[in-house]
Amino acid sequence: MMSSNYTAIDSQNVSGSVPAAADPPGQVAVKFTESNLQTFPPSSSQGKISGASGPPRDADDSFSKPVSGSDEPQQSGWFRAFTIAAYKPYFDVDTSDVLERIKDSLLPFTGSFSEKTADKPDLYGPFWICSTLVFVAASIGTFITYIAHKLQNKEWNYDINLVTWSAGLFYGYSTIVPLCLFLVLKYFSAPSGLVQLLCLYGYSLFVFIPALCLSLVPWEIVRWVVAGVAGFMSATFVALNLKHHIASAGERWFLIVAAIFLLQLALALVLRVYLFNVTV
């Protein structure tokens, strides 16, 4: 049963597919204004929620904005040198590129290494060359002393100083010498890229890896020959690749190239005395 207090809805103003009941006589009808609820999204915007797909105007967009001090490469000047993004391009090389540059380092008389790496010098190859030298030097030195002690029936103890000494020598030489050369060339108005110098000196040390392996030969004359050939190849590789660039430094360019050459030979001599000549 329907009470007489209920009112009916005007069927003429309600959209939909279901018709409303007819108005009984004597009843008051409630009329609704035209609505657009059947349209999605609504055509008009009301309040702070608009029909567009973007966020509200007063929404918190702090996550969409870069935060100051984040890892994004926003720093400039010297601050950028302390970010990972500053060194990422120098490790973006393929294996074929590294092998090609190693081959060039073993052919020192071509002198084309600097031209090939001028646009894209890398630090990946020099880092792993120095790391390999540290491992090979420590391993061979440890192996020689171990065998020598066993043959003489002596007690053998591992010498950790061989690792630290090798790491300091190779990492220090491949970093400090290019840095000093960078400052010298800048003083003589013949500046060169620091990364390119680090790349050149890093690859120049590769020839000492097979040389260290040949130091296992027990004959002293062979060790001297191996150390001398390796030092000459490394020194020639560096000197010829820097010759044309240093020639613009003026009349003293020959002295700079000679110093570079002799410094590489000195490195080979140090390796011969301390690493190629491991004794009990």
Side-chain angles (χ1 to χ4, degrees), residues 124-273:
Y124 179 85
F127 172 78
W128 285 111
I129 288 174
C130 292
S131 300
T132 305
L133 279 170
V134 174
F135 174 77
V136 171
S139 301
I140 291 178
T142 302
F143 177 75
I144 291 177
T145 55
Y146 175 78
I147 296 299
H149 279 80
K150 289 300 180 181
L151 292 177
Q152 299 178 11
N153 294 324
K154 294 182 179 180
E155 184 181 358
W156 175 79
N157 295 317
Y158 179 72
D159 187 10
I160 190 63
N161 294 326
L162 190 60
V163 178
T164 56
W165 190 89
S166 301
L169 175 64
F170 292 117
Y171 286 120
Y173 183 87
S174 61
T175 303
I176 297 176
V177 174
L179 180 59
C180 294
L181 181 59
F182 170 77
L183 298 176
V184 170
L185 294 179
K186 191 173 182 180
Y187 175 78
F188 286 102
S189 300
S192 179
L194 178 59
V195 177
Q196 190 170 1
L197 292 176
L198 292 171
C199 178
L200 177 65
Y201 270 87
Y203 280 99
S204 70
L205 300 180
F206 178 82
V207 68
F208 291 108
I209 296 178
L212 282 172
C213 296
L214 293 176
S215 66
L216 290 172
V217 178
W219 299 302
E220 288 293 319
I221 185 63
V222 175
R223 293 180 178 179
W224 276 107
V225 171
V226 169
V229 172
F232 178 79
M233 292 178 62
S234 179
T236 304
F237 171 74
V238 176
L240 290 182
N241 279 280
L242 291 176
K243 175 183 176 182
H244 299 290
H245 179 76
I246 298 178
S248 61
E251 298 179 355
R252 299 181 180 180
W253 71 269
F254 181 77
L255 297 178
I256 301 176
V257 174
I260 293 172
F261 186 86
L262 294 177
L263 193 59
Q264 288 291 110
L265 292 181
L267 173 65
L269 180 62
V270 172
L271 294 178
R272 169 63 185 87
V273 174

Side-chain angles (χ1 to χ4, degrees), residues 61-75:
D61 57 350
S62 58
F63 289 98
S64 61
K65 295 182 179 180
V67 182
S68 59
S70 61
D71 294 335
E72 295 184 9
Q74 299 178 356
Q75 294 85 358

